[in-house]
Amino acid sequence: MPRVTRDGVSIHYERERGDGRGEGAPVVFLQGLGLGRWQWRWQREALAGAGEYDLIAPDTRGTDRSDAGLPPLVGRLPRRLRSPLLRSRLSYSVGGLATDLEAVLEDAGVRDAHLVGLDLGGMVTQRYALEYSRAASLTLIGTSHGGVDAMAMDEDVLSELLASADSPRETARERLRTLFSERFTNRNPHLLDRLVEWQLAQAPSNPALESQLGAMTGFDVGDRLEGIRLPTLVIHGSEDRIVPVENGRLFEAKLSNVQYLEIDGGSHGCFLEQAERVNDVLESFLAEVSATATA
């Protein structure tokens, strides 16, 4: 499996080759807070079926096969001492995660890439677009620019994302429920069981999760958004509990080259709950951007 080392930390990524029928830039999927590559399974399958794009999926620092790169002693501290440190001065930074992405794309020999990111991954795409030159387009799902006018996550939701249950399996189940609507989880118990197993296999450790959260809550490019002129697709569920929908609407108001889709009743996990609709919109957007680039 391909790896690249950046700042002494090994970053793993997967690459799935297209069949060569198309000439579009690769599509890079960037994970959400605490989630593994499994989250993009439905989008990757849709695009792989088309065969027009190489697909790249890095493991976020601290997730699955990518090293955490955290001070070893900090991870051994009790949570009450560790978590405040890892969510503040010892946290990851979105800028650092964007540099990880640059290392991955350079290692993969990619000159141009369509970047698709959920929450933290969407923040990385914004920072990357502002500081590096390989982005061809951005797709921002359930994310925020982090500026002073952004709406923060509710404290009750934050507690749910960090909750611990009696076993790792139940902890994963309770945390995943926060992504989806209650109706969806109640109607799809077997699918939720499968997601729990995938998450157990790929999830970050608690210290890495806390450090990812610190990067997410410390992010702010609100005063730099005008620098993003790339074609941008914004998708946001109207009932997103993790990143309130007002944040998606701000992109629509502030970006100069944006398409905005608000999914009525959609959760943070709209990429799965409404996978067919999200896939259709994403495929159309990528086709449009690719056609413009080759015209």
Side-chain angles (χ1 to χ4, degrees):
M1 294 294 180
R3 289 181 175 271
V4 62
T5 299
R6 209 281 292 178
D7 195 25
V9 175
S10 178
I11 305 297
H12 165 268
Y13 64 96
E14 288 187 344
R15 183 168 192 168
E16 183 177 357
R17 299 280 185 175
D19 63 10
R21 285 182 293 168
E23 299 180 356
V27 181
V28 181
F29 292 97
L30 301 170
Q31 299 153 210
L33 174 71
L35 297 177
R37 294 181 315 282
W38 64 262
Q39 74 155 105
W40 296 119
R41 180 181 182 123
W42 289 262
Q43 285 67 50
R44 290 174 64 179
E45 286 182 347
L47 292 179
E52 297 184 12
Y53 307 96
D54 284 5
L55 308 178
I56 298 174
D59 285 329
T60 307
R61 181 175 289 232
T63 301
D64 197 12
R65 286 172 280 185
S66 288
D67 295 343
L70 296 172
L73 294 179
V74 175
R76 300 173 191 166
L77 292 173
R79 179 176 172 179
R80 62 184 177 82
L81 299 177
R82 179 192 72 223
S83 187
L85 289 172
L86 291 176
R87 290 168 56 188
S88 56
R89 62 189 181 90
L90 294 182
S91 75
Y92 299 142
S93 70
V94 171
L97 297 177
T99 305
D100 288 349
L101 174 59
E102 171 69 0
V104 166
L105 297 184
E106 182 175 2
D107 185 72
V110 172
R111 292 185 302 172
D112 300 290
H114 302 290
L115 306 182
V116 181
L118 174 75
D119 59 60
L120 177 60
M123 295 174 180
V124 173
T125 69
Q126 294 171 65
R127 185 68 181 263
Y128 187 88
L130 287 166
E131 298 186 0
Y132 297 96
S133 60
R134 301 178 201 261
S137 73
L138 309 181
T139 297
L140 308 177
I141 303 177
T143 193
S144 168
H145 64 61
V148 293
D149 52 351
M151 181 170 287
M153 185 188 310
D154 187 88
E155 285 295 323
D156 290 341
V157 175
L158 177 58
S159 297
E160 292 175 29
L161 289 174
L162 295 176
S164 294
D166 293 336
S167 69
R169 181 167 279 96
E170 286 307 308
T171 294
R173 183 180 302 275
E174 291 307 309
R175 290 177 179 178
L176 284 176
R177 282 183 177 275
T178 311
L179 273 70
F180 304 111
S181 67
E182 184 175 355
R183 179 181 180 184
F184 177 80
T185 55
N186 288 342
R187 289 188 171 189
N188 297 278
H190 298 301
L191 176 57
L192 185 60
D193 287 343
R194 192 186 316 168
L195 301 185
V196 167
E197 295 304 317
W198 292 344
Q199 181 67 358
L200 284 171
Q202 298 182 8
S205 65
N206 283 327
L209 172 63
E210 292 157 9
S211 198
Q212 288 183 15
L213 180 61
M216 185 170 169
T217 56
F219 176 69
D220 181 357
V221 293
D223 60 352
R224 301 174 63 190
L225 275 185
E226 63 181 17
I228 298 179
R229 299 184 176 88
L230 295 168
T232 301
L233 171 64
V234 176
I235 301 174
H236 219 114
S238 67
E239 302 301 320
D240 190 327
R241 297 179 60 226
I242 294 176
V243 182
V245 68
E246 287 79 4
N247 295 286
R249 294 168 184 166
L250 287 171
F251 286 120
E252 182 184 26
K254 294 187 175 188
L255 290 176
S256 60
N257 190 3
V258 62
Q259 297 179 32
Y260 178 68
L261 170 64
E262 184 171 313
I263 298 178
D264 187 33
S267 67
H268 191 66
C270 61
F271 57 89
L272 195 165
E273 285 195 42
Q274 305 279 347
E276 185 173 346
R277 186 175 185 191
V278 169
N279 293 348
D280 286 346
V281 172
L282 176 60
E283 289 184 75
S284 295
F285 172 72
L286 295 175
E288 179 182 327
V289 173
S290 298
T292 301
T294 57

